[in-house]
Amino acid sequence: MKLWQWLNKPYPLITQNRDKLVLVLSFGVFVAVFLIIFRPFDANSVKQYQVPFLMGFGLSASLALSFCYFLIPFVFQSWFKPERWQIKKEVLFLLFCFFIVAAFNLFHNNVVGRNITEARSYWAFLGITIAVGLFPVVILIFLVELFLNRKNSADAQLLKRQWEMKPLPQDDDILSIVSETTKEHALTLPLNDFLFAESDSNYTTIVFRIGDDIKKKLLRLSLKNMEVQLSGYPNILRVHRSYLVNKSKIRTVEGNARSLSLQLIDYPGTIPVSRKFSKEALL
């Protein structure tokens, strides 16, 4: 049960191409250096072009991870949602990466190095990849989750204390949100009834309160366009690439390894906060 609870914990998903590139290149360099220095798995049996051949496994690993980190998330975007990423998804994705790395290493060994080394089966390379990578990967996930969870929880507690000393502002202005099509009417409501807006491709779902009820309205409107329309309202914040939120409706903030998240007054769900968002803007 504790293991399952740990696997269901939130975990940060690497989304920036720069971070992915650093990871891909670093892993390839690590593999090449490890093989050249320690010569495991009968590497010394290679008599010709030994160092270039071993370096090729590093290049192969980088190419395999490039396939995993750049192409796969692009194709399966609905599965790679940063706000829904968990440890179990990270583990499954990395296991998938092991299978891909093993396939690329098989090609390098049996095709590129067919004249200088003995051919091996795919399962042999998969076993080697898992034997080398599984334990460090699990330890790294554990340490990253522990560090980020503590850091974000501490940030959340600091924000809570600052909120207690500085009440959040209220605003009696009226919002008028205009759709990008002429077929839909503008949504007009008091700013104090607006909770948040969530992006859905070229549409935006607006969540607001009418009396004691929570209502939703889907408009043909990009979140960026809506942000521009509401730029004159300081209480409306873009806290995430997919969310605009009414600062005066924030009830509390929580922290986990993935990011901070907001709990709103009158709304049961949570709103993720981007790691790049300035936490001071919430005050």
Side-chain angles (χ1 to χ4, degrees):
M1 182 61 69
K2 289 184 177 180
L3 176 60
W4 183 247
Q5 291 174 348
W6 181 74
L7 289 172
N8 281 302
K9 283 187 174 182
Y11 195 79
L13 174 67
I14 299 176
T15 57
Q16 298 297 315
N17 288 336
R18 182 186 61 182
D19 296 337
K20 293 180 181 181
L21 186 60
V22 169
L23 173 65
V24 164
L25 295 177
S26 299
F27 186 77
V29 170
F30 167 78
V31 169
V33 171
F34 176 81
L35 293 177
I36 291 171
I37 292 177
F38 295 103
R39 309 291 172 97
F41 313 115
D42 202 26
N44 282 324
S45 63
V46 180
K47 302 303 181 184
Q48 294 179 318
Y49 311 110
Q50 188 179 82
V51 171
F53 177 69
L54 295 178
M55 290 177 62
F57 282 108
L59 176 61
S60 177
S62 289
L63 292 175
L65 288 185
S66 295
F67 173 84
C68 294
Y69 276 91
F70 289 98
L71 181 60
I72 298 301
F74 177 77
V75 175
F76 300 98
Q77 295 183 29
S78 61
W79 201 71
F80 288 86
K81 294 287 187 182
E83 61 272 17
R84 299 175 184 173
W85 202 247
Q86 297 171 305
I87 290 177
K88 64 182 178 184
K89 285 191 172 184
E90 181 75 9
V91 171
L92 288 173
F93 175 63
L94 291 176
L95 287 175
F96 170 80
C97 291
F98 286 166
F99 280 84
I100 301 301
V101 169
F104 274 69
N105 284 339
L106 175 73
F107 178 84
H108 175 69
N109 187 85
N110 292 359
V111 178
V112 177
R114 62 184 179 274
N115 296 323
I116 60 175
T117 188
E118 179 183 353
R120 296 188 181 185
S121 70
Y122 171 78
W123 301 111
F125 277 106
L126 180 60
I128 291 172
T129 304
I130 293 177
V132 172
L134 184 59
F135 181 73
V137 161
V138 172
I139 294 299
L140 180 62
I141 290 174
F142 174 80
L143 293 176
V144 168
E145 192 280 330
L146 184 65
F147 171 77
L148 291 179
N149 188 39
R150 288 182 176 178
K151 178 182 180 300
N152 289 333
S153 295
D155 289 343
Q157 291 300 319
L158 178 61
L159 284 171
K160 287 179 182 179
R161 290 195 295 269
Q162 291 174 321
W163 273 341
E164 291 173 356
M165 296 182 292
K166 182 181 179 181
L168 292 172
Q170 300 290 324
D171 203 320
D172 296 327
D173 287 346
I174 301 296
L175 295 182
S176 183
I177 304 168
V178 182
S179 169
E180 292 174 351
T181 67
T182 57
K183 296 180 180 179
E184 295 175 297
H185 297 289
L187 176 64
T188 302
L189 71 159
L191 174 57
N192 197 44
D193 288 340
F194 172 77
L195 298 178
F196 69 93
E198 180 179 4
S199 174
D200 184 8
S201 187
N202 293 324
Y203 292 82
T204 294
T205 300
I206 300 170
V207 181
F208 55 98
R209 185 185 63 189
I210 296 181
D212 294 331
D213 298 326
I214 301 298
K215 302 292 184 180
K216 295 183 179 181
K217 185 174 180 62
L218 183 67
L219 292 180
R220 174 77 179 189
L221 174 68
S222 70
L223 195 67
K224 178 63 177 177
N225 192 323
M226 183 175 173
E227 182 183 14
V228 172
Q229 289 188 36
L230 303 182
S231 60
Y233 301 92
N235 276 9
I236 306 299
L237 301 177
R238 180 76 174 266
V239 299
H240 187 276
R241 66 176 183 174
S242 300
Y243 290 91
L244 285 174
V245 68
N246 186 349
K247 183 169 70 172
S248 67
K249 293 301 172 182
I250 299 174
R251 178 168 60 85
T252 188
V253 60
E254 302 293 338
N256 54 49
R258 187 191 299 137
S259 65
L260 297 180
S261 60
L262 304 175
Q263 294 183 0
L264 305 183
I265 300 170
D266 302 324
Y267 185 75
T270 59
I271 308 298
V273 178
S274 170
R275 294 194 295 272
K276 290 187 175 182
F277 179 73
S278 173
K279 310 306 182 292
E280 288 74 19
L282 293 172
L283 299 174

